[in-house]
Structures are given as structure tokens and as C-alpha cells.
Amino acid sequence: MKYLLFCLLVSFSTFAQTTNQYNLIPFPARFVGQDGQFTLSASTRVLVSPGTDAAARSVAQIFVSQVKTTNGLALPVVTTSPALAKGANITLSINKKLALGDEGYKLTVTPARVIAEAATPKGLFYATQTMRQLLPVAQSTPVTMPACAITDKPRYGYRGLNLDVSRHFMPVAFVKKYIDLMAMHKQNTFHWHLTDDQGWRIEIKKYPRLTQIGSKRAETLIGQYSQNYPQQFDGKPHGGFYTQDEIRDVVRYAQSRFVTIVPEIEMPGHALAALTAYPELGCEPTKAYQVATKWGVFDDVFCPSDKTFGFLQDVLAEVMTLFPGKYIHIGGDECPKTAWKNSAFCQDLMKKNKLKDEHELQSYFIRRIEKFVNSKGRAIIGWDEILEGGLAPNATVMSWRGTAGGIAAAKQKHPVIMTPGATCYLDHYQGNPATEPLAIGGYLPLDQVYAYEPTPAELSPAEQNYILGVQGNVWTEYMPTSDHVEYMVFPRALALAEIAWIPKGPRNFEDFAQRLKNHLPRLNTVPVNYAKRLFDITATTQPNEQGQIQVRLTKLDSDSQIFYTTNGKEPSERTTEYIGPITLTKTTTIRAMTPTGGNLTQTFTLHKGKNKPYTYATELGNDSDAKTNKLTDGVRGDTPRSRREWANFFGNMDVTLDLGDVTSVTKVSLNFLKVILDKNFPPTSVSIAISRDGKDYKEAIDQPITYELTGPWDILPVVADFKTARARYVRIRAKNAGVCPADHPDAGQKTYFSTDEIVVE
Ligand code: ACM
């Protein structure tokens, strides 16, 4: 215990010494650091002009309450006078002539005084958020701000973050905290995903069953979607919704922090919670719809009937009285057309309106809703699927399935918000999936978020003007608590906040990471349960002259030590300290840690097949990714949670590896993935053979693989022991399991299998 305390103190003091003074996120557009500092004291006042409107006064009040909370200093807000303005005070001044847009500001910090100027209260608010970040992260004396001169304004007008409260309900207090954190980093749009298959979360007075029935689900899927076969459920009801009073309260709260809320009411898909409450809105009114208990896309969607449009207009009318912002998000994504294809009503409606397919029916749906929303002076945002049957005339498109939708919409002169999955989905893994909390999948580390350029280069300068901005999306299927949401969102949301704000141009991730590292203690005081992947250790390998592998461990966090093990044991400050490259002579798992929370678990597979070429005797099919070097790249797929390291085979596999020379081969092994619900069935048989000349093969194993279909996902190893053989070629044949059996949800459909590495020892 004593030992631990000692280490904590030591690492804290090293931390404090290296703290840069200007750890601003997002970094200002124009910044000049200066000598000296302004010292705040009990006599420092926050000055506002005599004519200052209520909004600017509120900005001052919020700032002083933030300073009180963080720095323990109670600053009075007072009306300025010539004498006070000359004193050691902080002036917040509205200057309508300042040409920095409605979000820009100027901030001058000198040892004598601090002056913030903006044309609007919003710009002034951003000046105060910058000041907040210049102040110490916690209570300390003296309370100072380093001198600087800042002229700042954002690159994009839309700087967003969404939150899905349907998959898991999040309490009002957390929603406010989320908005606070957005505002602190100058994000201005909160996209509140309020309805989905798994729960309707907003009170609608005219339709009480939406929350009485639609806000509750019976239970929730356990584990990842395809983890268990059959799927397992927790048996615990989940529910929750916001009353209209609560919504108004959150809206006021957000307004005071200059965050606009875009409410999302999903249609025509993701409607199962609404259909459960009001089955007459579906294409099969007598069906027993149930609020979804698992994730995914469901065939039961709103039927485009007059009854549905009447309902949705009533709902949207109430939504528009609650949310004063310009935009209403109407969803539009992932709407299967099955129910409409099977509905005589829909087919008839399509004929009457000369709609050539169900995509056009979806566009008819969205256009009708848009007309209503426009009639109330508001505008719609829809996911990029709303392009498919033709865009509604005034719609803004949110591009999530890559960037193509955004590019197409901008070319059609429609406003666009960029939120492509590969760079903006904060529900994806941010570190090694094997050691991170369970997530939906994907892999999006912090530096990849930071590197994202939201304005596609394919667009002409005129078209680029349609890119309003960028948003991070936070779907909560695998985030049951607000703590978990914070873990996934932070600090990646700060990378998005910065790329939405700073001017276009080259970015320096290392500079961002250094500022972020010094900013994180500020998040500790909130507190925020952010992920510590920034402190993770990265391993790079290179061969040495003796043909061994040297592993170099690096980290961004330059001022802390690395400790490691090579025997599989948990590393700690009592295990070996890393001082130089680790030389490996056999397959080894390195586990490493830093006292600041970094970690690494990585297996380095050393074997004779590494980087050796291989050829297939069978056609792979266009959808296979097995043509790459995945089978000999030395990286094993050590978890079913991530499919990145696995190569997929949609038929049989017949692969021959060429070791280059005849050499001793004692063992050949490979793994197969088993994820039955994903149609990923291990092969039914595998043969492994070796040859000196590539003609005569000696079969070492030729055996059926048997496994239970039921149970959790798994990795099945296959090993051939050759004892003392010599060979140049290794041939592996594996037989596809055929089609899914009758009791599988995809009965009759083809299965595939996946393997990661052909390990030759
Ligand atoms: C989405 O992720 N379905 C917009």
C-alpha cells in the first residue's frame, strides 16, 4: 500500500512539471503565447457592459460558476466602468463590429487584465471556455492564466455529437453532463437519438402508449450480437423516457451553453417500439409487435398510410414545440422494404403515385414529412439512405455509410453533415479488441479520428461549401451505463471537436496528444471516465542480423516508464523495466504497462512461414479477402471480437505455402473461427500435408473437425505434428461446411469459414 502511494505521488509530480501552459482543445485559429501571467484573486471582477443583454450576462454567470467549481474562487459579475476596466479584471465585451462570425472571439490575456470580445454572446461564451482551459485544472494557488493573444473562430458551423438513448436509456443528469462537455470543447450541436426499435424515449401527450408501452423492453441480449448460438437474454426489463418538462429543462440547459439540440424521431424504419404501442401504424395491424430485445435492423416499419402520416405529424408537432432549433432529424436509415413489398396497400399506393420501386416509396414518405416540417418553418436532416429514391427538396444529408452519400448530396446542392463510420463512429473499438470492453466491432483509434478530413477533396470549392460540418456518433447497444458511454466517447470526441474547429491544413497528432494529455486532468475533476488508450504502448518489430526479432516499445506519454513481462503474467511496476528493444527467439506474448494507465498485450508469432508466399488451387470468389498476405503476416486473430486478422473462405480452401528451401518442419498449426450465428462455421475436415518438391505430399493429418453448433463463439485450433520431417511446401485443404441447417436463422444459406495464420515450426 505504502509503495503504491509513493509511486502515485512520483508520477503526479512528473506530470505537473511537464504541463504545458496552453493545453487548449480545440486549439485556436490564431494564437500567440506571451510572457507573464494574469493572477486571479478574491478582488478580481468579471465586467460586463451596462447595456449587456441577458444572454451575455448569463455567459458571465456560467463562467464564474465554472471558475468557482474548478478553482474555488468566487468572482463577482459587475457592470463595468472606466475605472474598473483599467483594473486587474476580466472584461467580457460585446463588439458587434468584430468580423469573426457569430462564434468567433478575441481574447487578450496580459499580466494587467483580461479582455474578451465577441460580436455575439455565443462568441463570448467560447472566449470563456478558452479562459477556463487556461486556468489551472484544479484548486491551487495562485490562480493564474498564462498571457496570450487569441483570435479565434471555427472552421465548420456544425460541430456535433450524437447520443443514442434508445438502446440504453441515459438519465437527464448525464445528458446535461454530456452537453457540458460538448460546450467545453466548443461543439455546438447535440443530436439526440430519441426513438428506435428498442425503446421510445420522449413523452408525446397525444400518444401516451408510446411511453407507457414503447419505452420498455422485456429484456436485453447478452454479449455481442453473434456471440452465443442461440442468442442469450438477461431476463431483466429495461426502460425509461424523458417527460416533456425534462426535455424543456435540458433544452434550456443546452441553450445557455449555446448547444442546439437536434431531436431524432426515426422513420420509416427503426420503428418497432412505436409499432408495439400502436400496431395500426404497421403494415400488419394485427401483428403482436414487441419492443426489440436485441440489436439490428427489423422488417417491421411504419406503413405509409394516412393514419401513420397523421400520427407522425402530431408527434413532430409536439417535438417542434419542445425543440426550438432549425433541424428535426427524421432518421431514414436502414428501412427494409419487405413489409412494403408484402403489403397490398403499399403496392397500390406506389401505382397511384407512379412510384417505380420501394426506394421511391421511401422518398415519397420522407418528402411528405419534409413538407410538413417545412410548413412549420423547420428543416429535416436524414441519414444518407434518403438519397436512394431521390432527395426531398430541402433535406440535409448525414453521410454515415462512408462519404459517398455526402459527396452525392453536396453535388446535388444539399447541405451535408459528415459522419462516416470509419472515422466518426465512437462505438467502434479504440484499442485492442481482445482487452477492451465489448464493443460492436470496428477499430477506430484516436489518431485515426484526428486524421479525418471532413471535406471531401472530390468536391469543387463551390460544392465544398455544402459541407456543414462533422459529427461523432454514439450508438449504445454495448454501452449499458453512462460511465461506459464516457469511456467510448472520450477522448475521441475531443479529436472530433478539434478537427471541426481548427482551420483546414496539416495537423500534428503529436501536438494534439500532448495537449490532450495535459487536458485530461481537467476531465478528472469533472470527473469523466475517459479511455486511457492515449497512454497505450505501441510495439514495432524489426529483424536483427541473427534473424531474431527485436520488439521496440514506444508511447506518446514520454515521461513515464514501461514495465513488461514475457511469461504471460500481469505486468506491474515490479516486473522488468523496458530500457531497449526486446529480442525474441520464439513466439512470445509481451504484456506491458505504464503507471499512467497504458497497456499492451501482443503476441509475436515467430515461425518459418512468416512472410512466405502462398498460392490457391481453388477459386476464392470475389468476396474473399484471403488474397492478401493475412495467412503469413505473423499476426494472429486472437479474438472473435475483431475480424481484422481473419481471412474468409466462401468455398473450400486449398492453399500451398512455399518456404523457399527444404527445411525442417516439425509442426503446422492454424485456427478456425466459430461464430455460428454469423454463418461462420469451421470447416468439416482439414488435411495438412508437406512436400520437398511440390509433387509428392505426405499427409500428416486428414481428419474431420467436429464441434457443437450451440454455445459461445470460439477459436478451434488444428495442429499437425511432423516430429522430424523436412519440406519446402506446406499444403492445407479445408472443406466448407455447406449450408446452414434447418434450425439456423439463415437455414439453407451458404456458410463460410475464417482462418488467421498458417504457423510453421
Ligand atoms: C446508422 O448508423 N444506422 C445511422
Side-chain angles (χ1 to χ4, degrees):
M1 194 63 201
K2 216 167 170 183
Y3 180 80
L4 187 68
L5 193 65
F6 173 75
C7 289
L8 284 175
L9 288 173
V10 168
S11 63
F12 182 76
S13 66
T14 3
F15 212 74
Q17 274 162 22
T18 56
T19 299
N20 180 305
Q21 301 185 86
Y22 306 108
N23 297 299
L24 300 169
I25 295 179
F27 203 73
R30 279 176 52 199
F31 174 87
V32 184
Q34 287 161 348
D35 288 340
Q37 56 200 21
F38 177 77
T39 302
L40 288 81
S41 70
S43 62
T44 307
R45 293 169 177 82
V46 175
L47 307 177
V48 293
S49 317
T52 300
D53 64 21
R57 243 173 214 278
S58 153
V59 166
Q61 291 299 351
I62 289 174
F63 173 62
V64 300
S65 76
Q66 288 169 339
V67 173
K68 175 86 178 63
T69 305
T70 310
N71 307 103
L73 211 57
L75 307 176
V77 176
V78 299
T79 301
T80 194
S81 69
L84 285 169
K86 282 197 198 113
N89 293 313
I90 299 169
T91 299
L92 301 185
S93 153
I94 294 285
N95 173 1
K96 295 223 159 69
K97 295 206 189 90
L98 206 63
L100 291 169
D102 73 334
E103 297 189 299
Y105 66 93
K106 271 180 84 163
L107 175 65
T108 314
V109 179
T110 66
R113 64 189 65 84
V114 177
I115 299 171
E117 278 183 282
T120 65
K122 191 175 187 181
L124 217 45
F125 177 76
Y126 289 141
T128 64
Q129 295 313 293
T130 298
M131 282 191 250
R132 228 180 134 185
Q133 293 192 16
L134 289 171
L135 284 164
V137 300
Q139 294 200 17
S140 63
T141 41
V143 181
T144 59
M145 261 190 246
C148 56
I150 291 173
T151 307
D152 203 7
K153 63 174 189 170
R155 176 178 177 192
Y156 294 108
Y158 187 111
R159 304 179 302 280
L161 202 55
N162 107 332
L163 183 66
D164 163 18
V165 293
S166 172
R167 276 52 177 263
H168 283 103
F169 179 71
M170 299 292 153
V172 166
F174 175 68
V175 173
K176 287 183 175 175
K177 180 180 182 183
Y178 199 75
I179 289 168
D180 249 345
L181 288 164
M182 289 181 65
M184 181 178 188
H185 303 102
K186 304 187 175 75
Q187 288 174 307
N188 63 3
T189 312
F190 171 50
H191 170 183
W192 205 356
H193 187 78
L194 287 162
T195 74
D196 214 304
D197 300 303
Q198 294 81 5
W200 183 284
R201 306 279 177 232
I202 173 172
E203 178 189 26
I204 300 295
K205 301 276 190 202
K206 193 159 180 185
Y207 299 97
R209 287 168 62 85
L210 283 172
T211 43
Q212 285 164 3
I213 307 282
S215 74
K216 300 175 188 136
R217 63 173 177 261
E219 55 184 355
T220 302
L221 181 75
I222 293 174
Q224 227 276 344
Y225 191 85
S226 342
Q227 185 164 337
N228 293 296
Y229 183 76
Q231 288 176 317
Q232 304 292 312
F233 294 84
D234 67 3
K236 294 184 206 140
H238 179 89
F241 67 91
Y242 309 102
T243 65
Q244 294 201 349
D245 280 343
E246 287 174 323
I247 299 258
R248 274 187 282 268
D249 177 44
V250 172
V251 167
R252 269 194 303 272
Y253 190 86
Q255 275 176 326
S256 70
R257 282 146 182 82
F258 301 92
V259 171
T260 302
I261 304 183
V262 175
E264 181 178 358
I265 304 296
E266 269 270 19
M267 63 190 80
H270 288 293
L272 209 36
L275 298 189
T276 307
Y278 295 97
E280 62 269 32
L281 306 176
C283 289
E284 293 176 81
T286 56
K287 191 165 170 176
Y289 298 106
Q290 294 295 327
V291 179
T293 56
K294 60 181 176 183
W295 325 123
V297 172
F298 298 88
D299 283 343
D300 295 315
V301 303
F302 284 120
C303 209
S305 62
D306 286 341
K307 188 171 251 165
T308 296
F309 286 110
F311 164 84
L312 287 172
Q313 290 179 8
D314 290 341
V315 167
L316 291 172
E318 287 194 33
V319 166
M320 285 187 273
T321 64
L322 294 169
F323 294 96
K326 172 179 169 187
Y327 290 115
I328 304 295
H329 201 307
I330 51 71
D333 61 321
E334 299 180 320
C335 179
K337 306 301 185 288
T338 317
W340 295 355
K341 282 195 172 116
N342 294 337
S343 151
F345 167 79
C346 291
Q347 294 305 313
D348 189 46
L349 184 69
M350 286 164 62
K351 270 198 210 101
K352 279 192 195 133
N353 288 280
K354 300 194 168 52
L355 306 172
K356 79 171 194 305
D357 60 18
E358 286 75 16
H359 292 301
E360 290 198 357
L361 181 55
Q362 161 138 342
S363 288
Y364 165 90
F365 195 117
I366 303 294
R367 285 187 177 125
R368 233 174 118 164
I369 292 294
E370 181 186 66
K371 207 164 167 186
F372 176 74
V373 171
N374 287 170
S375 78
K376 305 282 179 196
R378 311 292 187 89
I380 66 161
I381 300 177
W383 297 109
D384 59 53
E385 285 93 330
I386 67 168
L387 280 149
E388 283 169 356
L391 269 181
N394 306 309
T396 294
V397 171
M398 210 170 243
S399 188
W400 73 279
R401 297 176 303 174
T403 57
I407 293 167
K411 284 185 188 291
Q412 293 176 43
K413 300 186 172 14
H414 281 254
V416 171
I417 296 146
M418 296 306 285
T419 176
T423 50
C424 295
Y425 269 46
L426 306 184
D427 55 343
H428 290 183
Y429 284 106
Q430 57 195 313
N432 180 359
T435 51
E436 279 291 289
L438 185 69
I440 195 164
Y443 182 64
L444 178 57
L446 183 66
D447 54 345
Q448 207 163 300
V449 179
Y450 194 71
Y452 177 52
E453 166 51 50
T455 296
E458 295 91 320
L459 297 176
S460 70
E463 290 162 350
Q464 290 186 353
N465 290 330
Y466 289 98
I467 307 295
L468 301 183
V470 58
Q471 172 174 296
N473 284 341
V474 185
W475 308 108
T476 56
E477 288 93 335
Y478 299 97
M479 303 178 206
T481 64
S482 55
D483 258 12
H484 198 138
V485 170
E486 289 177 15
Y487 181 85
M488 296 302 284
V489 171
F490 298 98
R492 289 184 292 183
L494 308 194
L496 283 170
E498 175 142 316
I499 66 170
W501 185 277
I502 61 173
K504 187 180 167 105
R507 300 189 197 124
N508 181 340
F509 178 72
E510 255 140 62
D511 175 67
F512 170 73
Q514 193 58 36
R515 278 182 282 122
L516 175 59
K517 186 185 149 181
N518 293 327
H519 180 72
L520 289 175
R522 198 174 294 285
L523 299 188
N524 291 342
T525 66
V526 175
V528 181
N529 181 39
Y530 56 84
K532 301 201 167 55
R533 300 286 70 84
L534 176 65
F535 299 112
D536 270 357
I537 300 153
T538 307
T540 48
T541 59
Q542 63 182 73
N544 68 10
E545 281 164 13
Q546 290 79 43
Q548 300 161 326
I549 286 207
Q550 294 201 303
V551 181
R552 191 178 296 275
L553 303 181
T554 54
K555 57 194 165 35
L556 281 164
D557 178 21
S558 54
D559 41 341
S560 90
Q561 298 151 290
I562 302 178
F563 300 91
Y564 72 98
T565 65
T566 54
N567 58 3
K569 296 233 167 85
E570 175 104 13
S572 74
E573 284 155 69
R574 267 166 276 193
T575 58
T576 315
E577 184 180 352
Y578 175 84
I579 41 172
I582 306 164
T583 303
L584 301 183
T585 54
K586 60 178 201 301
T587 295
T588 306
T589 299
I590 295 182
R591 297 184 65 185
M593 60 81 75
T594 67
T596 44
N599 72 53
L600 170 89
T601 300
Q602 194 165 330
T603 300
F604 299 86
T605 305
L606 265 70
H607 66 94
K608 291 177 179 155
K610 193 169 173 209
N611 296 330
K612 294 296 189 307
Y614 51 87
T615 52
Y616 292 103
T618 42
E619 281 295 313
L620 286 175
N622 290 336
D623 39 5
S624 177
D625 57 357
K627 285 172 198 145
T628 61
N629 70 337
K630 271 187 182 174
L631 296 187
T632 55
D633 63 359
V635 188
R636 305 211 66 165
D638 48 7
T639 171
R641 288 177 171 198
S642 165
R643 307 298 163 79
R644 277 189 307 151
E645 313 304 351
W646 297 90
N648 299 328
F649 295 84
F650 294 84
N652 296 329
M653 177 176 87
D654 186 340
V655 62
T656 300
L657 177 63
D658 182 355
L659 299 172
D661 292 307
V662 174
T663 176
S664 87
V665 173
T666 56
K667 197 159 137 189
V668 175
S669 54
L670 70 169
N671 289 334
F672 292 100
L673 204 53
K674 176 190 148 192
V675 189
I676 297 304
L677 198 58
D678 268 1
K679 301 184 273 189
N680 192 330
F681 287 48
T684 51
S685 70
V686 176
S687 75
I688 301 178
I690 53 175
S691 166
R692 291 184 182 222
D693 59 5
K695 293 191 188 89
D696 293 329
Y697 278 89
K698 180 171 133 192
E699 308 274 334
I701 64 159
D702 185 0
Q703 64 180 42
I705 301 185
T706 54
Y707 48 87
E708 291 286 331
L709 289 189
T710 57
W713 59 17
D714 206 353
I715 294 174
L716 303 188
V718 174
V719 180
D721 248 314
F722 293 94
K723 307 255 172 356
T724 57
R726 289 179 67 77
R728 171 170 170 182
Y729 299 95
V730 175
R731 188 188 68 198
I732 297 168
R733 290 175 169 164
K735 196 165 174 348
N736 181 281
V739 297
C740 297
D743 54 356
H744 191 282
D746 294 315
Q749 292 185 31
K750 283 164 97 173
T751 67
Y752 71 101
F753 64 83
S754 310
T755 188
D756 59 342
E757 181 88 357
I758 302 170
V759 178
V760 181
E761 289 165 89

